[in-house]
Amino acid sequence: MKHSKTRRRWLRNSFLAFALIISIGIVYWIYQYNSGLAMAEDDINKEDEETFEPFKGVDPQFGEINVLLIGSDSRGDEGRSDALMIAHYNQTTNNVKIVSIMRDTYVDIPDYGMNKINAAFAFGGPELVRKSIKQNFDIDVNYYAIVDFEGFPKIVDLLAPNGIEVDIPYEMSYGIGMTLFPGEQTLHGDQLLAYVRFRHDRLSDFGRVERQQEVMTKVKEQISFQSLINLPKILGVAEAYIDTNIDNKTILAIGKGLIDGKSNGVDTLRIPVASSFDNKHVNVGAVLDIDLEKNKSALEEFLSSEDNVQVTKLEGVSS
């Protein structure tokens, strides 16, 4: 009888302790989430955004997820995407790959004809970008995430609180509201945004794409258990600055996989690949006239291979 009472008391205390832990976890999640919301600018107003055709990405197949990443700044360039990437995540290997598609890549945009690929976002939002990628490169995209550059510094600082180490090749100042001096430095927030957005690169937009991939790679390398703890706050910030159709459950699963998995570094590819394009001037301005079949083949091979890290070198860049 005494043993039975002791066991019931132990079960009751264990249940109360478990309930207390769950309650604390919920309170912590809500507090962190609201803290993230509070970090957002008060003047963020999503009600003014255009309404585009609903995104119709296919469901992920074989544990491989493709996310369309669109960097957007509504203050300029007539609403065109400022950065365009495909982030590929393999749930089995936890490997991450990033494909950067150059803004001026000349492609066939469904219902609009030949144009720069960054025009697709202005014409029809993420769904038209998805259609353009499918039509030209035969790649299915499952989700999208539109990142407002105003929120980029806050999100990066949460993911990489110790900053990102970069080697700045020369002084950068024009058009970024600050001066970044040459040499190895640790950049945070607004400095990192200036670093990835500097447009007057000696390699033109090719250098900017290279810096964007560099920062994405180094942010991924810093993702740790601390990032998982900060996830509620990150989601709070994302609520204001990121428009996405990825549900929180999927985000949590990917985050956990990146932290727990023994993945390699980030594999990167640039479209167009080296020696596969010509600089031309057409009715829509300066474009990169690409060898479509060569780029389709390179992209398919890159996404299907899980063995080799491939980093596209900036060779064959026309002046």
Side-chain angles (χ1 to χ4, degrees):
M1 180 68 71
K2 183 176 180 180
H3 176 74
S4 179
K5 288 183 178 180
T6 301
R7 186 171 183 275
R8 284 199 299 269
R9 187 180 302 113
W10 179 85
L11 289 173
R12 183 187 64 209
N13 292 340
S14 296
F15 174 78
L16 290 175
F18 178 75
L20 179 61
I21 292 172
I22 294 297
S23 299
I24 292 174
I26 293 173
V27 170
Y28 172 80
W29 183 281
I30 294 174
Y31 173 78
Q32 288 286 82
Y33 182 82
N34 288 333
S35 296
L37 286 175
M39 291 175 62
E41 299 284 341
D42 292 334
D43 58 357
I44 293 293
N45 185 359
K46 292 191 174 184
E47 293 180 359
D48 294 334
E49 294 180 356
E50 291 187 66
T51 301
F52 295 112
E53 182 181 356
F55 194 79
K56 300 175 183 177
V58 299
D59 292 333
Q61 300 292 321
F62 310 111
E64 296 187 10
I65 299 173
N66 288 327
V67 182
L68 179 63
L69 301 178
I70 300 172
S72 175
D73 185 351
S74 58
R75 295 172 302 177
D77 212 9
E78 299 179 342
R80 298 189 175 203
S81 55
D82 195 62
L84 181 59
M85 299 180 178
I86 300 172
H88 174 88
Y89 175 66
N90 187 304
Q91 292 178 295
T92 302
T93 64
N94 294 307
N95 285 343
V96 176
K97 299 182 179 184
I98 294 176
V99 179
S100 294
I101 304 178
M102 302 279 292
R103 293 156 36 99
D104 294 339
T105 302
Y106 197 45
V107 297
D108 184 13
I109 299 177
D111 300 324
Y112 289 89
M114 298 298 294
N115 208 317
K116 300 179 182 182
I117 196 167
N118 73 331
F121 181 66
F123 294 159
E127 171 61 8
L128 187 56
V129 180
R130 183 197 68 79
K131 286 181 177 179
S132 300
I133 291 173
K134 176 64 176 178
Q135 176 161 308
N136 291 273
F137 302 105
D138 198 26
I139 297 297
D140 288 313
V141 175
N142 313 114
Y143 304 105
Y144 74 88
I146 306 171
V147 182
D148 187 323
F149 278 122
E150 287 295 308
F152 175 85
K154 297 178 176 63
I155 296 171
V156 171
D157 280 345
L158 286 173
L159 290 171
N162 296 322
I164 299 295
E165 293 184 4
V166 300
D167 188 0
I168 301 176
Y170 40 79
E171 182 177 302
M172 299 177 178
S173 59
Y174 187 81
I176 59 176
M178 65 178 69
T179 300
L180 300 177
F181 295 99
E184 295 184 359
Q185 299 185 43
T186 299
L187 304 183
H188 297 265
D190 291 332
Q191 296 172 315
L192 273 172
L193 178 60
Y195 179 70
V196 300
R197 297 203 70 195
F198 180 66
R199 294 190 178 188
H200 299 270
D201 195 286
R202 294 174 184 175
L203 294 173
S204 66
D205 207 35
F206 291 88
R208 192 165 69 114
V209 166
E210 188 176 52
R211 293 195 304 276
Q212 290 171 354
Q213 292 185 339
E214 175 194 8
V215 170
M216 292 285 287
T217 299
K218 291 181 176 179
V219 167
K220 187 266 181 183
E221 290 172 353
Q222 288 204 28
I223 292 177
S224 63
F225 181 71
Q226 182 63 39
S227 302
L228 193 60
I229 293 176
N230 283 335
L231 186 59
K233 185 179 291 187
I234 294 170
L235 292 177
V237 174
E239 180 70 22
Y241 293 112
I242 299 180
D243 176 20
T244 183
N245 67 332
I246 311 176
D247 58 274
N248 289 345
K249 181 180 179 181
T250 300
I251 294 174
L252 184 60
I254 294 175
K256 186 176 183 299
L258 292 176
I259 294 168
D260 294 343
K262 303 298 183 182
S263 64
N264 299 316
V266 176
D267 302 356
T268 62
L269 180 75
R270 186 204 70 212
I271 296 294
V273 296
S275 305
S276 72
F277 65 93
D278 292 310
N279 287 317
K280 289 188 176 180
H281 199 282
V282 296
N283 61 320
V284 296
V287 301
L288 299 175
D289 188 24
I290 68 172
D291 181 330
L292 188 58
E293 291 304 316
K294 186 173 183 177
N295 281 279
K296 282 175 61 176
S297 177
L299 183 54
E300 180 183 2
E301 180 180 356
F302 176 73
L303 293 179
S304 62
S305 172
E306 290 296 336
D307 299 323
N308 300 317
V309 176
Q310 304 180 29
V311 179
T312 301
K313 299 183 182 300
L314 299 179
E315 59 187 10
V317 178
S318 304
S319 58

